[in-house]
Amino acid sequence: EAGVTQFPSHSVIEKGQTVTLRCDPISGHDNLYWYRRVMGKEIKFLLHFVKESKQDESGMPNNRFLAERTGGTYSTLKVQPAELEDSGVYFCASSPNFGRAETQYFGPGTRLLVL
Amino acid sequence: AQSVAQPEDQVNVAEGNPLTVKCTYSVSGNPYLFWYVQYPNRGLQFLLKYITGDNLVKGSYGFEAEFNKSQTSFHLKKPSALVSDSALYFCAVRDGATGRRALTFGSGTRLQVQP
């Protein structure tokens, strides 16, 4: 079974540019999550999709971040315009819908550097 | 609000010796506790979780963790460390009494196993 995949693995952009990150969850997983680790600090929750619906977006830092999951399969996270403080590692995770105790499985992350 | 503390930035242990990576948590409802490991240039890998039941949880690669409700701790342990266990370890919690599935992570502990 393929794991969670993320693309690109690395991205270097200049301040003010736009970047789009993609996440493909494990097949059949209804739940999809975005997290990020900024400046080597804690991994912080951004948002949670159930299929194509945003279940919890309380962690989104501001309106420069836009997440979508059209069709309930893969998801994209767009940062527009990017700021220096957006640099970090963006993780995607997915989990099945077996109940509240299910495990979240993480992808390898996208390392974003904003110059 | 929920939180996780990993009081040690780094733990050093000799190969063959037992290891402990500490984690304490704070959550208002029922704690669901998780340990993840991140190897260099890799994503987060799930090690084990505590949901309910036996306080001693066994996971992947010979790791185990003990849930202690009175001390609000969930320390990760292994009887005999391997050099290949050297990695970054994250403890995470979520409140099982709510429907919110966002994980709250600690800041991570780097484990260095010396040969």
Side-chain angles (χ1 to χ4, degrees):
Chain A
E1 178 184 84
V4 176
T5 57
Q6 293 186 244
F7 182 83
S9 59
H10 295 78
S11 181
V12 181
I13 61 172
E14 293 188 352
K15 176 183 174 181
Q17 290 185 323
T18 297
V19 63
T20 300
L21 313 181
R22 173 173 169 143
C23 168
D24 286 77
I26 293 171
S27 177
H29 282 191
D30 288 340
N31 296 291
L32 188 148
Y33 311 82
W34 284 99
Y35 293 82
R36 72 173 181 175
R37 189 178 190 218
V38 174
M39 296 294 291
K41 295 183 178 177
E42 293 90 348
I43 300 168
K44 296 282 193 183
F45 167 80
L46 295 177
L47 89 159
H48 168 208
F49 283 100
V50 178
K51 296 185 180 179
E52 66 275 8
S53 300
K54 293 177 183 175
Q55 183 76 14
D56 180 355
E57 50 184 328
S58 61
M60 295 289 265
N62 52 61
N63 59 10
R64 294 187 294 104
F65 289 75
L66 175 64
E68 295 180 324
R69 192 183 182 195
T70 307
T73 54
Y74 71 92
S75 174
T76 58
L77 180 64
K78 180 188 288 187
V79 185
Q80 181 181 27
E83 299 289 345
L84 300 180
E85 62 265 26
D86 300 333
S87 297
V89 182
Y90 289 76
F91 292 103
C92 175
S94 71
S95 70
N97 216 15
F98 294 157
R100 292 185 294 184
E102 79 282 356
T103 298
Q104 296 179 25
Y105 296 94
F106 283 75
T110 293
R111 284 156 180 77
L112 174 65
L113 179 60
V114 183
L115 301 175
Chain B
Q2 54 199 42
S3 65
V4 174
Q6 292 182 243
E8 301 154 318
D9 289 337
Q10 181 156 327
V11 170
N12 298 308
V13 64
E15 188 175 30
N17 283 0
L19 69 88
T20 298
V21 182
K22 296 180 180 178
C23 170
T24 59
Y25 66 90
S26 174
V27 69
S28 56
N30 300 327
Y32 288 2
L33 293 152
F34 302 81
W35 275 103
Y36 287 86
V37 59
Q38 185 179 22
Y39 296 101
N41 301 315
R42 303 286 294 276
L44 295 168
Q45 293 184 30
F46 169 72
L47 276 180
L48 51 79
K49 68 182 177 183
Y50 171 83
I51 303 300
T52 187
D54 194 348
N55 289 344
L56 185 64
V57 178
K58 294 188 183 296
S60 307
Y61 313 121
F63 283 94
E64 59 188 27
E66 186 167 12
F67 170 65
N68 187 316
K69 187 174 182 178
S70 62
Q71 296 185 6
T72 61
S73 67
F74 190 56
H75 301 331
L76 182 70
K77 300 181 180 183
K78 187 174 182 181
S80 178
L82 300 173
V83 172
S84 57
D85 293 330
S86 299
L88 189 55
Y89 290 80
F90 291 96
C91 181
V93 69
R94 47 179 273 243
D95 189 342
T98 72
R100 193 165 180 263
R101 301 190 185 190
L103 292 175
T104 297
F105 283 86
S107 55
T109 298
R110 186 165 300 281
L111 174 66
Q112 191 69 41
V113 181
Q114 283 106 17

